[in-house]
Amino acid sequence: MYHILVVDDEARIRSIIKKYAEFEGHTVTEAGDGMEAVRLCRQESFDIIIMDIMMPELDGFSACREIRKVSSTPIIMLSARGEEYDKINGFETGIDDYVVKPFSAKELMLRIEAIMKRSRSGHAASSEPKKQNVIVELDNGGLKADLTARIVYINGERVDMSPKEYDLFFYMLDNRNIALSREKLISEVWGYDFYGDARTLDTHIKLLRKSLGEYSKYIVTLRGVGYRFEGDI
């Protein structure tokens, strides 16, 4: 079971999440604002964090940036708004999932379980023996990717991406010149038990294109199907 930090200035929301989480056997610590959340994360470790965006003292985005300086704990962001800007801003600050209020507490518990499964799988993969680095270069080395070390270079400069951008980019690169349906990408990159929606994929494609800059041309949208990464090594 997990130790969950629930951060929301509404006591009612914290109470609902705590009720369902404890019913599932989890332990819950509460915080009423972003400042308190950052302080708690500096003092102890949590398995996952559920955090509202609009809070006094320190908003969710700012709190997430501060927490990311000391911890890679998965974060689910809550918001009363569903605007794309909020989602993009959240994913750029390093959150793992985004839930719009009002939400189903049962769905939230399923999302927690899905994220923790992926987190455990990632830790297991990182503990495997290191293999010889596999390097992929396009445009005479203008776009260079170290598949083993998960490092991307554009025109000689290292590019920083969110963990999910790396996952998406390397999966598409490994399956280049193949039409990938939205369902296939979500299943392979987020996991078959992903409880979000296809808009999450589209948001990450937009972020990935932004990170790739001039080389975003390699990501082709297949209307009504999904995406394809076009490029020859």
Side-chain angles (χ1 to χ4, degrees):
M1 295 296 101
Y2 313 126
H3 186 187
I4 304 172
L5 174 61
V6 178
V7 190
D8 198 303
D9 60 324
E10 293 187 55
R12 181 181 61 86
I13 297 294
R14 298 199 307 269
S15 177
I16 291 172
I17 296 173
K18 182 177 181 179
K19 175 183 176 181
Y20 278 86
E22 290 184 339
F23 180 78
E24 297 284 342
H26 306 306
T27 300
V28 175
T29 296
E30 299 181 48
D33 58 63
M35 291 287 283
E36 186 179 4
V38 173
R39 178 180 59 78
L40 286 170
C41 287
R42 288 172 176 167
Q43 292 176 346
E44 57 183 305
S45 60
F46 300 93
D47 294 307
I48 191 165
I49 300 168
I50 301 171
M51 179 151 47
D52 188 30
I53 291 179
M54 302 301 293
M55 295 184 293
E57 301 294 335
L58 194 67
D59 66 86
F61 293 136
S62 300
C64 179
R65 279 189 283 269
E66 289 302 311
I67 290 170
R68 280 289 172 260
K69 293 177 182 179
V70 298
S71 171
S72 59
T73 301
I75 298 175
I76 296 177
M77 195 75 85
L78 303 178
S79 175
R81 305 181 304 180
E83 281 117 10
E84 186 178 41
Y85 168 79
D86 282 343
K87 292 187 177 182
I88 290 176
N89 197 15
F91 289 129
E92 284 182 330
T93 57
I95 71 167
D96 296 80
D97 204 352
Y98 186 100
V99 177
V100 178
K101 297 178 180 179
F103 56 86
S104 159
K106 179 61 177 176
E107 180 186 342
L108 183 59
M109 294 302 111
L110 291 172
R111 286 182 184 238
I112 289 172
E113 188 59 42
I115 289 173
M116 293 309 298
K117 274 187 184 178
R118 296 197 298 271
S119 180
R120 288 195 298 267
S121 297
H123 288 314
S126 64
S127 64
E128 294 177 355
K130 289 187 177 181
K131 302 176 183 178
Q132 184 176 356
N133 285 25
V134 178
I135 307 295
V136 173
E137 295 186 5
L138 295 95
D139 263 9
N140 297 315
L143 175 59
K144 180 178 177 181
D146 185 330
L147 302 185
T148 309
R150 288 170 63 89
I151 299 175
V152 179
Y153 298 93
I154 291 181
N155 299 326
E157 296 290 328
R158 181 169 175 171
V159 178
D160 289 324
M161 300 182 185
S162 69
K164 197 53 65 181
E165 280 181 81
Y166 280 118
D167 290 342
L168 182 59
F169 175 58
F170 286 123
Y171 179 77
M172 296 183 75
L173 192 59
D174 197 41
N175 293 274
R176 56 191 172 277
N177 299 317
I178 298 174
L180 300 169
S181 69
R182 293 154 70 88
E183 294 77 14
K184 179 69 172 177
L185 284 167
I186 289 172
S187 174
E188 295 296 332
V189 178
W190 276 265
Y192 70 92
D193 50 3
F194 175 64
Y195 289 95
D197 56 43
R199 286 174 295 182
T200 296
L201 169 62
D202 297 334
T203 299
H204 279 85
I205 288 288
K206 182 176 291 188
L207 290 170
L208 179 56
R209 282 173 165 156
K210 180 180 177 181
S211 295
L212 294 177
E214 62 186 286
Y215 299 105
S216 62
K217 62 185 180 184
Y218 289 120
I219 300 178
V220 178
T221 300
L222 305 177
R223 192 174 301 277
V225 178
Y227 300 93
R228 179 175 60 239
F229 190 93
E230 292 184 350
D232 297 317
I233 299 175

